[in-house]
Amino acid sequence: MFTPLFSMYLHFLSPSRNVVGTLCQRGVAGSKGRIKRQERRQRQQNLLDKIAGQVSSIKGQHWKEKKVIQYEALTDLGDKKDITIPLPHSYSPCYVEAAWYPWWVKLGFFKPEYKSHQPHDVLETFSLCIPPPNVTGSLHIGHALTVAIEDVLVRWKRMLGQKVLWVPGSDHAGIATQAVVEKRLWKEKGLLRHDLGREDFLKAVWKWKNEKGDEIYHQLRSLGASLDWDRNCFTMDNMFSRAVCEAFVRLYDDGLMYRRRRLVNWSCALRSAISDIEVESRQLLGKTFISVPGYERKIPFGILYHFAYYTEAEDDEITVATTRPETILGDTAVAVHPNDHRYLKFHGAKLRHPFTGQLIPVVTHGHVNPDFGTGAVKVTPAHSLIDFEIAQSLELPMVTVIGEDGRMTQNGGEWIQGVNRFDAREQILTALKEKGLYRGECEHTMVLPVCSRSGDVIEQLLKSQWFVNCEKMAQKALEASNVGNLKIIPSFHHKNWRNWLSNISDWCVSRQLWWGHQIPAYHVTVSKNLPNQSFSYDDEGFWVAAHNENEARKKAAKTLGRPEEDLYLKQDEDVLDTWFSSALFPFAMLGWPENTVDLKNFYPNSLLETGSDLLFFWVARMVMLGEHLTGQLPFREVFLHSMVRDAHGRKMSKSLGNVVDPLDVMKGISLEDMKKKLKNGNLDPRELKVAEAGLVKSFPHGIPECGTDALRFALCSYKVLGDDINLDVSTVITARHFCNKIWNGVKFTLSALEEGFSPVPIQNLNPHGPVDRWLLDQLRLLTEQCERRLEAYEFHGATGAMQTFWVQNYCDIYVEAVKPILKGKHVTDVKQVLYWGAEIFLRLLAPFMPFLSEELWQRLPSNTTNPSPSICVAEFPISGQMAHWVYPEEVQQFDFVQSVIRAVRSVRNVYHITKAQPEG
């Protein structure tokens, strides 16, 4: 039954036939169980061994330098690469990646309008925005994963004939950008921003942005991102600024934007408020020393200090416990739980403040935890959210004793005014001991709030700020996901989504910066010559939100019933949180609030793809503001990929020396150059020493040149829908070896086809040879699997299937099987199968490896099935076109042959049988 097919593969078994003969002569039957176990192990290891050799040996050896081959043809920028030049002997990323990207851009392949040139175009539209990277930043490995995933989806949809729009953009990054420019000003001119003034400082920022701001775009191009660059937007450009202003005004008019004097999360290092989700909660199990910006020494936290408050008559005392002794100067009461029997006698009593001498009350409140410390707590309303709530309910005074710069204010007394808060802590503890009021300390488990941007310990300060009332918008966002209008992938993120939206707090959007969107709100009073006649609807005065001062004046005059000329307006000097403008990206990038053609065609977006760490920072806010401002959800699906960690599962950090720069992986870098990059950073000497040790451990010989395609393919080979990704550079090296395998396989195919070859249409290809039929059946199955995996965002399944097909099925089996046949005369079917096997495979590969697939596909003979000028706009293989390549009999026969081969090889390995012929 299987004789013809079996005969075709006898050359694979030449050593094994000796094995069989030897075994027979020795009378060895073997153990079926042992053979099966060996067979399973062999299959599991076979593919990786063939692609990369032993990866474990790679890690311990010096990287073998690959010859860098340059593309030296004289090709003008944007012209098509010269493909008449013979392919180099071996794969070189430098050669392959040259010239293609400018040509793609020039011919408009990345624009949705190109769809009309594709003969296989369909009615569907696919649109998404790239998570806008900071204009100050450079690509990190998280960006690379985002770009790899999104570009795979975009290129796949484009090849399917859909109308595709992928919009590039960058974020003005208010805090980061201002910090960079301020450091530069100080370094170059010895100036602070206040020395320049706001207007001149903003000119300096724009100058820096115009000089350096496009670097991130060059890096995106180097990753092969097929973005529509003509639609690029920046969150501070005129169009986007108009959208930000409109959003603020609408929210204000709808009663969702309000101004209040409340406690906010304040970073003394940044001199700005930050939102709740920009605060990291660091769990401390006891006494812990932590580096705080502005202090040379580390500051101890996780300590509970005890001190006494004497009663008015000084005949008794209450001992209170606190982790913040520096705020004692702002105490306005001591609180106990109303049912705590230990303090019943103190209810209504007065205590004498140890530093001011003033009398403060003992109050009762249900917020007090009797099990915390002594059960009696100091109440500092201006520096604690719980104390603030207690003070509001009991109408206690609020005294601010720590200023915006982290120094003690005059409210604490002249003796300590101007002292840094944590230095003041030590002075206050010393003073308490001198007064005989110190009662000891103990280690304490606590949560320390830390600014995610600066590493500073958060200070709760009482400030007048703008807030967004999120409750109703959050409920609508929650309903959208509950009824299925918004799909979140993977689904396990739904629990966090529900919990956060159900317990959402109002969003503080004021930032005390100069770089950003100045808040379009104006404080209104009656003209200066009438100082006693101002209008005040609340403690904050009268404010109006408008697109400009003229509009604000008209609104205020109408509301107040005053002539415009009597009104004095002053715009709020603060700027809006960067995340506020980012939350508008899905529709602002399309021209909102104008009813543009792009807004009609591409909104809502088809998909939002980003890292799972941005679910609340960005995704939830986009959903809330998008639905409220446009009446539609900004996208139908949210796909959250895993976070990237180092090979040991640690978070990537410059201070650990384990950061992987994607450009270094693509271009290659020595260990010495990696150390130089570290030294040019902003690490302090202690961190630098640790980081250098981490580099030596993680990258003892640097990183070899792997290329863009290998990096993209390696990133997509991880399971991005599950747990964190532990990225090992050896995985990228393995992908580079796979690139070389593709290179060599296609080179062989090209040499086998010879000049004058003409491919037959797919529908007419129905070979008679069993091995030809088997390969086409495998090719059909590969196409089905790629379709299924891409639809489910299971990129690792697609990459694994492609590796298996090309390495095992195409190269190791089919190519080796047909080499003897190619020397004969009847080779028509073989050449057709070789051609279509390579051509279809390259089109399947194109979304993952755009440069390599283009380079090789352009060299293949053209065919009438895909007359496209570029593989990136060619038709993606569809399994339905290969429905006639179903050959179950040949597959069954071939599976049997392979099982025989594996079994015989296993027997040979088990019994250590050589090729030597038995004597006699």
Side-chain angles (χ1 to χ4, degrees), residues 274-294:
I274 61 173
S275 63
D276 290 345
I277 58 176
E278 291 172 302
V279 178
E280 293 179 357
S281 297
R282 190 173 299 179
Q283 183 72 42
L284 305 182
L285 300 179
K287 188 175 183 179
T288 307
F289 288 86
I290 293 175
S291 296
V292 178

Side-chain angles (χ1 to χ4, degrees), residues 223-292:
L223 275 169
S226 57
L227 294 149
D228 184 354
W229 292 105
D230 290 340
R231 287 177 166 89
N232 172 48
C233 63
F234 174 51
T235 53
M236 283 288 286
D237 64 27
N238 291 334
M239 180 187 77
F240 214 102
S241 296
R242 159 87 170 118
V244 172
C245 184
E246 178 69 21
F248 185 96
V249 173
R250 288 196 191 183
L251 290 170
Y252 181 86
D253 290 343
D254 293 342
L256 297 177
M257 183 73 70
Y258 66 93
R259 184 177 175 86
R260 289 287 186 277
R261 183 170 175 79
R262 289 174 42 177
L263 281 181
V264 297
N265 302 306
W266 187 268
S267 168
C268 298
L270 299 176
R271 302 284 184 92
S272 178
I274 61 173
S275 63
D276 290 345
I277 58 176
E278 291 172 302
V279 178
E280 293 179 357
S281 297
R282 190 173 299 179
Q283 183 72 42
L284 305 182
L285 300 179
K287 188 175 183 179
T288 307
F289 288 86
I290 293 175
S291 296
V292 178

Side-chain angles (χ1 to χ4, degrees), residues 672-782:
E672 290 305 311
D673 285 341
M674 295 179 82
K675 288 181 179 179
K676 288 178 183 177
K677 288 179 67 174
L678 265 185
K679 290 177 181 177
N680 292 333
N682 57 1
L683 297 179
D684 65 41
R686 291 172 298 179
E687 290 177 323
L688 182 61
K689 188 175 181 180
V690 174
E692 284 189 341
L695 273 183
V696 173
K697 181 179 179 181
S698 299
F699 312 105
H701 308 295
I703 302 174
E705 179 198 30
C706 295
T708 299
D709 288 321
L711 176 62
R712 290 168 54 119
F713 194 85
L715 289 170
C716 290
S717 69
Y718 286 95
K719 188 177 181 181
V720 299
L721 288 172
D723 298 327
D724 290 345
I725 294 171
N726 294 346
L727 178 67
D728 195 330
V729 172
S730 64
T731 306
V732 189
I733 297 171
T734 298
R736 190 199 188 283
H737 290 314
F738 180 50
C739 292
N740 195 61
K741 189 77 173 179
I742 297 169
W743 183 268
N744 291 333
V746 175
K747 277 190 69 178
F748 170 82
T749 298
L750 290 170
S751 66
L753 297 181
E754 299 177 342
E755 190 174 350
F757 172 81
S758 179
V760 301
I762 288 179
Q763 60 269 24
N764 295 342
L765 180 57
N766 190 15
H768 299 291
V771 68
D772 302 323
R773 292 187 170 209
W774 169 80
L775 186 75
L776 293 181
D777 195 294
Q778 296 302 301
L779 187 58
R780 175 186 59 81
L781 292 175
L782 171 65

Side-chain angles (χ1 to χ4, degrees), residues 36 58 84 119 126 224 238 243 249 267 319 411 457 524 614 663 699 732 776 797 855 874 880 890:
K36 287 183 178 179
I58 290 175
T84 63
F126 183 78
N238 291 334
V249 173
S267 168
T319 301
N411 293 332
V457 175
V524 183
L614 295 183
L663 295 180
F699 312 105
V732 189
L776 293 181
E855 182 76 38
E890 283 78 0

Side-chain angles (χ1 to χ4, degrees), residues 115 191 273 635 904:
K115 171 180 177 288
L191 296 175
F635 28 74
V904 173

Side-chain angles (χ1 to χ4, degrees), residues 272-380:
S272 178
I274 61 173
S275 63
D276 290 345
I277 58 176
E278 291 172 302
V279 178
E280 293 179 357
S281 297
R282 190 173 299 179
Q283 183 72 42
L284 305 182
L285 300 179
K287 188 175 183 179
T288 307
F289 288 86
I290 293 175
S291 296
V292 178
Y295 295 84
E296 292 185 1
R297 73 184 194 283
K298 289 189 174 183
I299 308 299
F301 295 92
I303 303 172
L304 196 61
Y305 303 93
H306 297 79
F307 72 97
Y309 264 107
Y310 284 145
T311 58
E312 182 178 5
E314 297 188 0
D315 57 354
D316 206 344
E317 69 176 47
I318 290 183
T319 301
V320 300
T322 181
T323 60
R324 302 285 317 275
E326 62 272 20
T327 63
I328 289 173
L329 301 173
D331 289 358
T332 57
V334 169
V336 297
H337 193 277
N339 298 327
D340 191 337
H341 67 277
R342 294 173 295 178
Y343 299 108
L344 292 178
K345 67 177 181 178
F346 291 102
H347 288 193
K350 298 286 186 180
L351 305 176
R352 190 167 301 281
H353 196 286
F355 293 101
T356 67
Q358 294 178 342
L359 294 177
I360 62 174
V362 176
V363 298
T364 60
H365 202 281
H367 281 354
V368 178
N369 178 6
D371 298 325
F372 174 78
T374 63
V377 295
K378 53 194 284 301
V379 179
T380 318

